[in-house]
Amino acid sequence: MKLAIFDLDHTLMPMDTGDSWVRFLLKRSGRDPKPVHEKLDEFTRTYREGRIDIDEFERFQMQFLASFRRKELDQYMEEFIARWIRPNVPDGARTLVNRHREAGDITALCTATYSFVSRAVADVFGIDAVLAAEAEMGADGEFTGRLNGSHAYREGKVLKTRAFIEEQQRLGVRFDGYAFYSDSFNDQPLFDFIASLGGACVAVNPDETLRRIALERGWASVNSYDSSALQKALHCPEI
């Protein structure tokens, strides 16, 4: 049995799902969207440049959860998945996941997008586990708007993956192989960790830096969606 790990945004989905979720909530919050959109665009830019402040990013994203009651959020998430995620799931991305599911492998989503969002998207793909930042909840079950524990970005992904493997070992699960799929050079720490285990590294819709690294190291490179899927994902009527 292998462990197949997938990044989420621009690997399986042709969009930033966390940003899309925030924009989706903004439509229902009554807040002025302009400063929020500007901040989201700034985070996107610094992520692509490899210099994002991930703690600030997580705090910014999670504050919107505290603006709604959990019952409302659950309802909005159902709408978000039905209206925006399911219609935009690329066939190629589903094929990547299903190959491992059909082989009997354990699948995991390892993403900087916090788990309230990424767990819902993982369910669409039938992915087993989610390794992501957790939003803090109070004793009343409502979100506080704060991060609970650590993020899952760069080295944070390695820590969460290592912890998951160790947890599975305690449960008696032994993996005989590993694979990691991602689009971004920011995930090189996890690529390196998987490579150190003798696993397969697969660049999916890679950015230019990751494309170069994949060529240099002989990693596979694939596309999970085409330009038309990307253009469709940029124009959500709900956002």
Side-chain angles (χ1 to χ4, degrees), residues 13 36 82 98 104 108 113 118 156-157 166 181 206 225:
M13 294 299 299
V36 177
N98 284 346
T113 299
S118 54
K157 286 193 173 185
E166 292 173 352
Y181 299 79
Y225 55 81

Side-chain angles (χ1 to χ4, degrees), residues 47-59:
Y47 174 82
R48 290 174 177 168
E49 294 170 352
R51 58 182 186 85
I52 190 173
D53 183 332
I54 191 61
D55 293 315
E56 181 188 5
F57 168 77
E58 296 290 6
R59 287 193 297 269

Side-chain angles (χ1 to χ4, degrees), residues 216-227:
E216 291 173 352
R217 301 191 181 186
W219 297 346
S221 183
V222 301
N223 291 325
S224 63
Y225 55 81
D226 58 19
S227 58

Side-chain angles (χ1 to χ4, degrees), residues 36 53 71 87 108 117 140 153 161-162 170 195:
V36 177
D53 183 332
K71 185 176 180 179
V117 179
D140 58 358
Y153 172 69
T161 298
R162 192 192 300 273
R170 287 192 294 271

Side-chain angles (χ1 to χ4, degrees), residues 199-212:
C201 296
V202 184
V204 184
N205 320 311
D207 58 41
E208 287 305 312
T209 301
L210 180 57
R211 188 186 306 277
R212 174 179 52 79

Side-chain angles (χ1 to χ4, degrees), residues 127-181:
I127 290 175
D128 300 306
V130 172
L131 315 178
E134 300 286 342
E136 182 185 77
M137 288 191 297
D140 58 358
E142 300 293 335
F143 289 113
T144 66
R146 295 186 293 271
L147 175 67
N148 179 22
S150 63
H151 61 73
Y153 172 69
R154 292 188 63 84
E155 288 77 8
K157 286 193 173 185
V158 178
L159 294 176
K160 286 191 177 290
T161 298
R162 192 192 300 273
F164 180 74
I165 292 171
E166 292 173 352
E167 177 188 26
Q168 293 299 300
Q169 289 175 339
R170 287 192 294 271
L171 295 173
V173 176
R174 296 292 185 270
F175 298 114
D176 58 19
Y178 301 87
F180 177 49
Y181 299 79

